[in-house]
Amino acid sequence: MRNIKIGVLGFQGAIEEHVEATRRALKEVGTSGEVNVVKKLEEVEKLDGLIIPGGESTVIGSMMKQMGIIDYLRQTGGIPLFGTCAGMIVLAKKIRDRVLGDTSQPTAGILDVTVERNSFGRQGDSFEAELEIPAIGGLYRGVFIRAPIVVNVGDKVEVLCRLNGRIVAVRQEKIIATAFHPELANDPRIHMFFIKKIILSD
Ligand code: GLN
């Protein structure tokens, strides 16, 4: 397998944590690859996979739009993507806010789900939960920070994980999205799952 190129979108949020987690996961998978922080369209165009971190989805989405990255992702529909928390929100087709209802903000709209922002409310601002994720081999500790949930999924979307019945991880072909933060979990399995998707889509 050639050297795979993975980018972590570097506008805002948990960027370095994803870089570290992805490097570790590459070693665990045993494949050669490089991981870089990317911001420009020219950089994104060279990638085999892009990670969109958690942070503030309105900021990340606006920057993606401004830099032409949203248009690129819509047109190619091609490269494997991994969105975490705010990164899940900016990929979604439809967004609503738990308090404000339907909202409009820049998103790529390529993940066929409706996402509700800040879905756990104030009391659920930040918490950890034991999750069952069969696709990565079972139990996993999820770190949730002002997390969204998926309230509706399209036909092509596979649910990877639920927490108390609520959807918190999905896959649609080459797109993986989690409501929680795998880069903060000190467990490389979800990044490994993403890397394997990149290798398979080669
Ligand atoms: N609540 C944030 C948003 O809606 C996402 C939080 C996160 O990424 N940790 O953008």
Side-chain angles (χ1 to χ4, degrees), residues 144-165:
F144 292 78
I145 304 169
R146 293 191 302 119
I149 57 162
V150 173
V151 291
N152 211 346
V153 299
D155 291 346
K156 287 191 192 145
V157 179
E158 175 193 351
V159 174
L160 296 177
C161 178
R162 289 177 197 263
L163 171 63
N164 302 329

Side-chain angles (χ1 to χ4, degrees), residues 54-57 85-86 89 117-118 145-146 181:
E56 179 51 50
S57 59
C85 202
I89 297 170
R117 289 181 66 192
N118 302 314
I145 304 169
R146 293 191 302 119
H181 286 258

Side-chain angles (χ1 to χ4, degrees), residues 178-189:
T178 65
F180 50 90
H181 286 258
E183 78 286 7
L184 303 180
N186 194 28
D187 181 334
R189 284 178 296 162

Side-chain angles (χ1 to χ4, degrees), residues 114-156:
T114 303
V115 169
E116 182 177 83
R117 289 181 66 192
N118 302 314
S119 201
F120 293 91
R122 272 227 186 110
Q123 267 140 21
D125 240 14
S126 176
F127 63 94
E128 292 192 14
E130 199 78 69
L131 304 172
E132 173 71 30
I133 311 179
I136 61 155
L139 289 181
Y140 182 88
R141 189 125 200 103
V143 178
F144 292 78
I145 304 169
R146 293 191 302 119
I149 57 162
V150 173
V151 291
N152 211 346
V153 299
D155 291 346
K156 287 191 192 145

Side-chain angles (χ1 to χ4, degrees), residues 8 16 49 79 126 189-190:
V8 177
E16 279 308 316
I79 62 166
S126 176
R189 284 178 296 162
I190 300 187

Side-chain angles (χ1 to χ4, degrees), residues 8-27:
V8 177
L9 198 61
F11 296 132
Q12 193 259 334
I15 300 161
E16 279 308 316
E17 293 87 342
H18 263 299
V19 172
E20 287 311 313
T22 311
R23 287 191 178 138
R24 178 176 165 198
L26 277 169
K27 278 196 200 130

